[in-house]
Amino acid sequence: MRRLLVLLFLLPTLAQAQDRRASHCIAVAEAPGVEYLHRASYRAPLPDEFTVRLNYVDHAMFLIETAGGLRAITDYSGFAGAIDTPDIVTMNRAHITHWTPDPDPAIPHVLPGWSDRVGEPVGHHLDLGEMLVRSVSTDIRGRAGGFEENGNSIFVFEVGGLCIGHLGHLHHEPDAETYAALGRLDVVMAPVDGGLTLDRPTLKRVLDRLRSSVVIPMHWWGQGSLDRFLSDMSDSFDVEVRPTSYMEVSLRSLPSRPTIVVLRPAFLSEPE
């Protein structure tokens, strides 16, 4: 009888929760087994509904493609190459290379990583069925010194059972509340420039704490800064350097040991 009364009490809350789907990333504790990733190309069909294609476009910009045809671009600066109108773009405003003031009005969903009310978290939570996109706000360094509260967002893309995080122009180590809001990130795009975003020791602490199965370096300036990052992380992560700008990943193909996967940025072009 007590269980029935509790259920009746919760029914209104459960109905409201359906309007804002909870994040499954926060509940995920471990990644499953291993199956090697394989080559693919932009706009080619994906093998199943649980596989996602990640294309490293430029600087901090990635195209995320789903089996159902959804396309999301991270830290969108206005041009990604030969691509039709994406479904979603996310932006951060630390530098103009991470956003555009004039996104194409044909893009259905444009998600800025900052609020019009300075200092307030933006709190995006966009559920498109096949993909859930949410933001976790962090601070950025102000132009006149100090920090601008909640001026950057880490965007999390939940798709195909995966939790994919893009750290944006992260300027400080997340606190415990931020780590909890992120939850488990199976794949993370991390800025590895070594100073404009996080310094190298701080970035190492962040990635060791996240312990994602796949880390994709971004925001690197030449081979030297990339090599220094790889050297810093070699005791905690395996390293796989690819000659391509893209990879396919699913829960089944996550490596058994945390791995840094280096992709070579390339603007999107029409498939041959």
Side-chain angles (χ1 to χ4, degrees):
M1 183 64 179
R2 177 179 296 179
R3 293 177 62 185
L4 178 59
L5 289 174
V6 170
L7 179 60
L8 290 173
F9 176 77
L10 289 175
L11 280 177
T13 303
L14 294 173
Q16 292 171 9
Q18 291 178 7
D19 295 329
R20 184 176 172 92
R21 195 178 94 199
S23 165
H24 75 265
C25 302
I26 295 173
V28 176
E30 296 180 355
V34 60
E35 178 180 305
Y36 289 105
L37 306 172
H38 56 280
R39 296 184 61 177
S41 63
Y42 163 54
R43 291 176 61 180
L46 287 162
D48 57 62
E49 62 181 310
F50 302 108
T51 299
V52 179
R53 182 179 297 121
L54 307 175
N55 302 266
Y56 186 17
V57 180
D58 180 54
H59 195 57
M61 186 163 36
F62 289 80
L63 169 67
I64 302 172
E65 298 178 89
T66 72
L70 278 177
R71 290 176 297 179
I73 298 181
T74 68
D75 277 34
Y76 181 63
S77 62
F79 178 74
I83 178 175
D84 298 333
T85 305
D87 301 284
I88 313 151
V89 299
T90 65
M91 300 189 298
N92 276 300
R93 66 172 180 180
H95 297 287
I96 194 64
T97 48
H98 295 254
W99 71 290
T100 174
D102 301 304
D104 186 343
I107 299 172
H109 303 284
V110 177
L111 308 183
W114 63 94
S115 172
D116 290 335
R117 297 184 177 183
V118 176
E120 291 190 5
V122 64
H124 292 298
H125 197 279
L126 177 64
D127 190 349
L128 297 178
E130 190 183 18
M131 178 187 288
L132 173 69
V133 185
R134 58 187 178 89
S135 64
V136 178
S137 293
T138 65
D139 301 339
I140 58 173
R141 288 186 291 269
R143 299 182 186 277
F147 278 86
E148 179 184 328
E149 191 175 3
N150 297 315
N152 175 78
S153 282
I154 297 172
F155 281 93
V156 180
F157 303 81
E158 304 188 16
V159 54
L162 290 166
C163 301
I164 301 170
H166 187 286
L167 296 185
H169 212 278
L170 185 61
H171 287 172
H172 63 89
E173 184 171 3
D175 57 20
E177 183 179 356
T178 302
Y179 278 122
L182 289 173
R184 164 72 187 186
L185 298 181
D186 301 298
V187 179
V188 65
M189 294 89 150
V192 304
D193 55 89
L196 288 177
T197 55
L198 297 176
D199 60 51
R200 289 161 52 197
T202 303
L203 177 61
K204 178 172 171 54
R205 287 198 304 271
V206 170
L207 295 180
D208 284 342
R209 169 73 178 266
L210 289 173
R211 200 66 179 170
S212 300
S213 296
V214 173
V215 174
I216 304 176
M218 65 174 184
H219 211 272
W220 43 274
W221 311 99
Q223 192 65 41
S225 59
L226 177 62
D227 287 344
R228 285 190 290 273
F229 164 72
L230 297 178
S231 176
D232 287 345
M233 303 304 299
S234 61
D235 62 335
S236 307
F237 290 78
D238 289 342
V239 175
E240 180 183 343
V241 178
R242 297 192 174 200
T244 60
S245 61
Y246 46 79
M247 65 182 293
E248 289 182 4
V249 63
S250 68
L251 278 175
R252 290 182 304 167
S253 69
L254 291 174
S256 57
R257 173 172 156 79
T259 301
I260 295 169
V261 178
V262 178
L263 301 177
R264 297 292 167 177
F267 286 105
L268 301 166
S269 59
E270 291 291 341
E272 298 179 357

